[in-house]
Amino acid sequence: MVEQSGVRVVRCGGNKINFRAPIITKDCRFLICGSGDSVKVFSTSTEECVHVLEGHTDQVTGVALNPANHLQVYSCSADGTVRLWDFIDGILIKTFIFGYPILSLYVSEKHAGVIFVIVAMENQNKGENFQLLALHLPKVPDQEVEAKDMFAVLCDISPNPGSTAFGQGGEYIASALGLRLNVYFFRKQKTYRFSLKATDKKGAKNAFTCVACHPKDDCIATGHEDGKIRLWRNFNQKKEYTYSTQHWHHNAVSSLCFTPEGMHLLSGGVESVLVQWHCEEVNKKDFLPRLGGAISHIAVSSDGQMYCTSHSDNKINIIHCSFKLSAVIQGLVKGNIWTDLVIDSRTKALVMNGRPGHLQFYSLQQDKQLYSLDIVQQEYIYEEGLDQFEVMKAVFDVRGNWLATVEERGRDSDLEFALKLWGFNESAQSLELNTTITAAHQDRITSMCFSPSTETTMLVTAAKDGQFKVWLLGTDSETQKEQASWSCDFVGSYHGLQPTNCCFSSDGSLLAVSFEEVVTVWSSDTWGLLTTLCQPPGPIRELCFGRLSCSKYLLATTPKNLLCWNLLTCSLEWSTPMDVHLLRSDPLSDIIAAFCLHSKSSNLFVFRPSEPRPLFTQKAVCEGKVQRCVFAPRAEPLDSCDERFQWLNRSRLYYLTEKMELLSFSTQTEDERILKSRKQLLVDDSVAVTPFYLLLGKHRRQQEEEDKLNFMTNKVSERTQHPQASVAVKELLHTPAHVLPAASFLCSMFVNSLLISNTESREEKQPSEKDEDSDKEEDDSEEEMETGDGQQEIRTQGSVEEAPPKLSKAEEKELRRVRKTDFSWVTSLSSS
Amino acid sequence: MGEFKVHRVRFFDYMPSAIRALAFQPQREKIAVARTSGSVEIFNCADRFFQEKIIPGREQAATEALAWVGDRLFSAGLNGVISEYDLENQKVKYTIDAFGGPMWTIASNQQGTHLAVGCEDGTVKLFEVCEGKIQFEKNLAKQKGRILSLSWHPSGSRIVAGMMDMIRVFNTETGQSVHRLLVERGIGASRSVECVVWGVVYLSDGTIISGDSSGKVKIWDDLTGTLIKSHQVTKWDVLALSVSQDETSVVAGTSEGTVVQFQFLSVVLGQEDKEWVQTRIFKNHTHDVRAVLELGTAVVSGGMDTQFVVRPLLDKIEERGPECVLRKIQFPHRSLVSCAKKAGLLLFQYPGHLELWRLGESDGHGASGSVLPVKRKPEKLLHLKIKGEEHICCSAVSPCGEWIAYSTVASFRLYRLHCDNNNVSITKVSKLPKVLSSANQICFSSDSSKLFAASTCSSVHVVSLSQTVHKFVCTLKPKSGSVQAVHLLAASEDGKWLASANSDREVQIYNLTKMKLHSTVPVYNSGVTAMAIHPTTNNLFMVHADQQVFEYSIEEKKYTDWSRQVQRNGLHYLWLARDTPVTNVTFNPKNPTHIILHDAYMFCIIDQTLPLPDSCSQFYNQLTLRSLPEKDRTKHSHAFKMCKTFKELMFVELMEDQSLVAVERPLVEIAAQLPAPVRQKKFAT
């Protein structure tokens, strides 16, 4: 059905990358993690996503490097398959069909050809029950193989993948559930069970939360609910086992990991502090605090050079073994969303609640967080039960110059809130706090909006204290400040009723404020009440003006009806009995989207206010209620000719479901385009992917296209410059940074190479005095791109390297001579 | 169980002294405990850690270390003398000056031939253990700085000494130093302070383990003299070390009050390669742990907080029994309080003085559980300081309140108390029979006409008291010829019988009219902790360290039917699991079937008319009974009626006027008098 309509619901990025522990490849260059139903490969140095391994049809529940080939990775999924990938090229090698949802995956070098999976027990009679299976992977060359050869290793284990771990050399496997630790020895095929008491006199909570095994010694580390870590030894004895206890975490230990040599033990919990315990000296420990959300997983690379931690705020930190944070991979933070989904018109980013007390700016195109704006500007304490400030509302004005936020804490009786206005600073290219209004209203702000008119910058806030206030960017001389600040201009109320929504008409001349069951329309010039609309009665939920050709219409929803008034006649144009709970207008067109809940799934209606017949309907877009939705303008408009999908041409509709999934609609033409662009993104894997590289790559591709064009149209000898230009770029990229000549020298060469002209000789005679600052920036990014080849270049560049910044005339001449020489032989050498 | 007017006495300021040293005698399973007051106590591990003997201390004894050589116990102290103890008669046998200044440590070799002491002047002196004495043999090479700890290699050929900033290994044959192991100092402010090696242990495989004041436990190899591993155990000092018999476990006591266990474990399971790994931490003390013992099945520790703690290692114990519980022994296992039942006086025994108090009075009648108004406050009548350096070993007040007797190791004193109205005066009885030079236990007959004093070789001297003449009557001796001292005496109400119990667990009953041995109670394999003769039936009621109770009919010379029934039925497991011994037995003359006993945490009335509890019945049933209707109570009640209203009981006695005296000593008050412990960072403070 979806295929027929030509529009399908797509999951739109923002998947959880912290669902399972990530892995770092053997060479530490890539980090692999499951993200929704795909596996993502990130570069550890640049944080860019290199590959998206797609093929699973359900949540990916585990990744593990193939112990036989470290360039391959296994992934398992709830769709019941295990897939083997080549993550360097992003190719699916094999699919093993298992048939039952897999919850977790383990591999061990000792057990070749076998992987271990956690599955839910079959014919379960009471509650959930899980077991660990050893799955023999058949050695057949087929692409898709059914893996049916298996045997149960441990029964009744925890579904949490962190509470099962392989011991030293794969000799045994340790698994904890509740208050019991099971150790299964493969050789003896014997299980030892150790249990703890639920509590003791001192009130300790002893339940196990996670398990890790020492890679060299026979020592099992277990984390506990009260923050204790126990190190178990001698666990092949029934009675004479022993353990030592360490206590630092004040709350449950969520993850434990030994470094490959067993020198250190890493632990993390809700405190978001990575603790490094020294196994030799028990009392010594190192801390890396303030990493973000609660730590959910810890992983270590096989050479111990890199650690990574997954956090509850959908983030992966990559940490160098010297305990320095080296990279951050941040996904869409999907905690509690109180704000509406807002589009920042400058960055075209989706703005919503991010980390606690922050707003995140999330690029929908690139599926990555651009930045996070600290609204509350207070340290957030990761502990349950604390009442801390949260951003409740955020609104942008039309041009993206102003942002208004409301932060709140406390319940109704001791409510504290503040209205903050943020102005865009052109020079800093960032939002800066302009005004903080601590007592904007007597009670909670229910709604606010900016005026869309271009002349005045105006904000209207409506609050539960029965008033709506108009705030203007103050030009009044009283404050005598250099910077204009916001002040209250008008306070309106209507019969002491509580205002619930406010909305400006598209030209900003009218303000509609709904007071419970009455909609009032005010003139924004005089602040006079123009009219009231209250037919048919019902508490107003949402209020929305039509746009462009339909700007004379005002739409409102009540629990029973969707209403449309014509403001020219001040009469009800039409109404339909529909329980619409979300109404959103497209800022770029005159259409309006409405979501309504019907039999536990949400339906979407897209319509023009001028005609009550919907343009487009889609039933069951998702299960449950749609929480938020927004129209995001497209970078390039689509040119779909099908009438039904024209509403998707200029903007895209994103919506957030109850499960906090960000979904969108995609047309067929769009799908094709994405597929095409993805192929283009496949880049030379010898170079780390950076934005800078992508820029260069684009440039190169353009040149290649131009080449083709030139080749086709005329065969003029201009082409001679291209080899040299590409040589310059290649040299720049392929020479290690430490042997490169001075940046000032390179810069001119680089800029020259970008110029499309044949007056080569003239330009080169101009002295290359460039801005030092920009050079430095480029220099930095060059260093990031360094790769390890090009021995020849070192020798050829060696003489140039020592060139002092201040050059004498003779030297300058010499340099120019050197620069003129053709380096193209270098490429021929290096490519051979 | 009846209602009593209770004198809740809290003015006995008993203050135990800190434990300084522990020594274990593996053959007889006995532990000797040295306290800072100079007293030495012997605990029997096999008999539920019953405190069998107490050798009273003396002023300025300053015992620092203990060592067993076979059955002989030696101590060394800061007063510079080595003492050997006479364990039978519970006194110091002889002392010998080592001429090396204060001594910090003493250690015996496993062969039992030599003793080594470490002195302040830096010498390790070897003494040869001879029959009945010890003889100086030689000095090992003299070092600079004091010797704080010593440990013999099991072969006896080498000895390791912990010193300031270093550890030395000596060859005992040549007396020469073999190795000099330097111990680094602590970091920070403690860098300028010398590192004190408080404890060393020499293992048979040549491993040396040391604990020092920088908080580290270090493991050394004596072949190369190199450090193998260092464990930072605490921020403060490691004060004591002890190794188990099989050398697989070492425990270290620290200033933080923790005991840290190290175990010799194979790093990879199933392989021979073993390593010392820090495992468990026991935190049972609030103050410095000055001495630890690793017994194999339990870890025993003691320190500044005066508690003697036994922590069983459950992984080493084959079968769980009532012995496998954590024991904290705070109070001595014998009564320091004696009571004049008729006069309402209490005599408190302190190490250096006696206090006599008159109980308060109240005429009010209140509801059960209410506090009565006090008409007359309790009054301290007497503060009797003893002469000489020796501490009191026993004391007693006669039931009429007229006589007070006490004994030290060196002397026996008897005083007569004149108490008319508010004037209290005492006179020392000067002409005492010569046999009364010293006593291990003192008891008066119920009519205060006779004094019984237990003396050497389990003998009891009987002295008749009168206003003027004090006549020695006779000496009662057992037939067994036991040389152990008597630690309990009980006289019958009618003055006919006297029972005595000694450390050989023998209970003798003497006929006082004939002045000869009447009978001997069959020897039971656990020490008697409390006994008394019933005033009407003349049955001897005994409670043993393993919580068994016996009733012995003196006239019939056999156990009573009730006692046999108890043995047949067996006692309730919760009664057997009680971890402090019963220290006093008394009877209710109004209700002859009631027997009142107490231990440190409860007192109990045994009603012999009621059925015994079986294992499935609720043992502590007082609250349940109270909630039941009257007629159902009899169905559910059993012989043991426990009362836990009073905690930390030192003494319970029923007075003549049917009021109960309960002497409490709250542990918090003891803890408040202790010096402040080392500062420790506590989470969220």
Side-chain angles (χ1 to χ4, degrees), chain A residues 247-248, chain B residues 235-236 256 283 677-685:
Chain A
H247 201 170
W248 183 86
Chain B
K235 278 182 190 159
W236 308 96
E256 286 174 8
K283 174 112 181 68
V678 291
R679 217 189 79 78
Q680 283 174 55
K681 169 89 179 93
K682 259 196 168 165
F683 179 66
T685 55

Side-chain angles (χ1 to χ4, degrees), chain B residues 52-53 86-90 334 439-441 454-459 482-488 500-506:
Chain B
E52 284 189 332
K53 289 165 189 172
D86 179 355
L87 294 176
E88 280 84 37
N89 297 312
Q90 304 180 11
R334 59 186 65 174
N440 291 316
Q441 186 66 24
S455 181
T456 52
C457 297
S458 291
S459 62
S482 167
V483 291
Q484 298 288 350
V486 167
H487 70 276
L488 280 175
S500 77
N502 68 11
S503 311
D504 273 343
R505 298 157 184 175
E506 293 170 351

Side-chain angles (χ1 to χ4, degrees), chain A residues 168 172 185 201-202 216-219 233-236 239-246 250 280-283, chain B residues 229-234 263 265-270 277-281 283 314-318 320 683:
Chain A
Q168 173 259 123
Y172 54 90
F185 286 85
K201 276 178 230 152
K202 289 164 193 160
K216 296 277 178 305
D217 300 351
D218 281 324
C219 173
R233 286 172 195 277
N234 245 18
F235 39 80
N236 61 350
K239 273 179 88 83
E240 291 193 18
Y241 66 91
T242 176
Y243 58 80
S244 58
T245 312
Q246 303 291 330
H250 75 258
E280 294 294 309
E281 275 181 78
V282 191
N283 285 344
Chain B
K229 209 164 181 189
S230 173
H231 295 271
Q232 182 81 43
V233 167
T234 164
Q263 281 176 287
L265 300 175
S266 50
V267 173
V268 176
L269 293 177
V277 183
Q278 181 187 333
T279 54
R280 282 169 284 199
I281 297 177
K283 174 112 181 68
L314 294 178
D315 54 336
K316 304 281 185 191
I317 296 170
E318 283 307 314
R320 304 280 167 93
F683 179 66

